[in-house]
Amino acid sequence: MTYLVVLGGLVLLAIGGDLLVRGAVGLSTKLGVSPLLAGLTIVGFGTSTPELVTSLQAALQGSPGIAIGNVVGSNIANVLLILGVSAVILPLAIEPRAFRRDGLALITATLACVIAVLIGELTRPIGIALLAGMVGYVLYAYFGERRAATVEGEVHVLKAQDAGPATRFGFVMLSAFVIAGLAAAILGANLLVQGSVELARSFAISEAVIGVSVVALGTSLPELIACVVAALRKHGDVALGNVIGSNIYNVFGILGITAIVEPLDVPAEIIRLDIWVFAAATMLLLAFLRSGWRISRIEGATFIAAYAGYCAVIFS
């Protein structure tokens, strides 16, 4: 029964995230919101909704290992597994100019996450600082693009287009998509957290291990779908943009909001291992990009192998 609860939670999260993004982007199109702003905010926040509701549910239920592990583990999975799978499907050619600003934001978010975790406690002031970083990033990117269009802005526009806004539906139906998506995500997160806690107890492993693995992988499903679609459409910049954007939102937005709502103590396991794996994955991604601005199948396979090794270590 526990496995069915976890599986049901994952399915509802995937469906909810997809409905929410499609409905929200469709509504933004009908309301005349620019594709740039939609790509920066709606798609970014929408694909990160599973992580947000899951971390909030876990924090409110007194499971910091799942709440924090979900964010750190999702960012690890985004780089090593999702980007790795995308590159194996189709090597990702990257336009260097598309990631000068977002690459810097990713480095900043990674450093902020490392510092916050090493402090040992996610307090409300830390949460406010992280959320301020999120607001600052979005405003800087949006108004910077308004002044002078760049390749980075084109990537965010493509992200909105690849999200597949269901514009053939009317305003009422699109609103229903958003409401249904939120409801499914909240219910799915509740089931996933409850099932994950029971799994941890039944296998006598920590909630942090479940958080950085099962929960994190499940909440990353929207990013996996978005990146695979982008790879199949030969939109390498979009696939990478989805991963970088998700990792930025996860740290600044989700970790920030979660800490504001419910301050948390950081589990020792995350301080000892997982946060360093996240930092190393980010550095490996930047190294691969700088080596030729192309993520080859071999490099993608290296990512996947690294993720498999990481999983083997945490479950050993």
Side-chain angles (χ1 to χ4, degrees):
M1 182 60 68
T2 301
Y3 291 112
L4 290 178
V5 171
V6 171
L7 180 60
L10 292 175
V11 170
L12 284 172
L13 278 172
I15 294 174
D18 184 64
L19 284 175
L20 180 61
V21 171
R22 290 179 182 274
V25 176
L27 283 174
S28 71
T29 301
K30 290 185 177 297
L31 293 173
V33 176
S34 73
L36 169 64
L37 186 58
L40 268 171
T41 58
I42 296 171
V43 177
F45 279 120
T47 56
S48 293
T49 297
E51 285 94 341
L52 175 60
V53 293
T54 300
S55 287
L56 283 175
Q57 289 271 10
L60 293 172
Q61 293 180 26
S63 297
I66 293 177
I68 301 172
N70 174 43
V71 171
V72 175
S74 290
N75 283 12
I76 293 171
N78 282 346
V79 174
L80 297 182
L81 181 63
I82 294 175
L83 205 55
V85 169
S86 301
V88 168
I89 291 174
L90 190 71
L92 304 177
I94 310 300
E95 166 57 58
R97 293 174 298 166
F99 294 102
R100 288 172 181 166
R101 180 187 60 232
D102 291 351
L104 180 60
L106 174 63
I107 295 172
T108 303
T110 302
L111 288 174
C113 189
V114 171
I115 293 171
V117 166
L118 291 181
I119 289 174
E121 182 183 4
L122 295 181
T123 62
R124 284 195 173 92
I126 290 177
I128 292 171
L130 290 173
L131 190 58
M134 181 76 262
V135 174
Y137 162 70
V138 171
L139 291 177
Y140 177 74
Y142 179 68
F143 287 108
E145 292 297 329
R146 288 286 300 272
R147 288 193 297 269
T150 67
V151 178
E152 289 174 302
E154 294 174 8
V155 171
H156 290 295
V157 171
L158 282 174
K159 282 170 63 177
Q161 294 173 351
D162 280 0
T167 50
R168 66 181 181 278
F169 296 104
F171 190 88
V172 173
M173 184 60 71
L174 290 172
S175 300
F177 280 0
V178 173
I179 295 171
L182 283 172
I186 292 171
L187 177 59
N190 189 43
L191 291 175
L192 180 58
V193 171
Q194 290 181 2
S196 298
V197 171
E198 289 301 319
L199 276 180
R201 290 173 180 170
S202 62
F203 285 100
I205 58 179
S206 70
E207 291 181 4
V209 170
I210 293 294
V212 298
S213 57
V214 177
V215 176
L217 189 56
T219 57
S220 293
L221 287 176
E223 284 87 356
L224 175 60
I225 295 170
C227 287
V228 169
V229 168
L232 293 174
R233 292 179 178 176
K234 298 183 179 181
H235 291 168
D237 289 343
V238 175
L240 181 61
N242 284 329
V243 166
I244 290 179
S246 176
N247 283 15
I248 293 170
Y249 279 96
N250 284 350
V251 172
F252 285 142
I254 294 169
L255 209 57
I257 292 172
T258 301
I260 292 171
V261 173
E262 186 68 29
L264 299 167
D265 291 326
V266 181
E269 301 100 310
I270 294 177
I271 297 174
R272 185 171 58 250
L273 174 66
D274 306 297
I275 190 63
W276 302 112
V277 175
F278 168 37
T282 300
M283 289 188 291
L284 184 61
L285 170 60
L286 295 175
F288 280 172
L289 290 178
R290 293 291 296 175
S291 67
W293 294 101
R294 184 176 184 271
I295 302 179
S296 66
R297 284 193 171 94
I298 293 177
E299 290 169 333
T302 301
F303 277 147
I304 296 172
Y307 188 75
Y310 166 65
C311 290
V313 169
I314 63 175
F315 283 108
S316 61

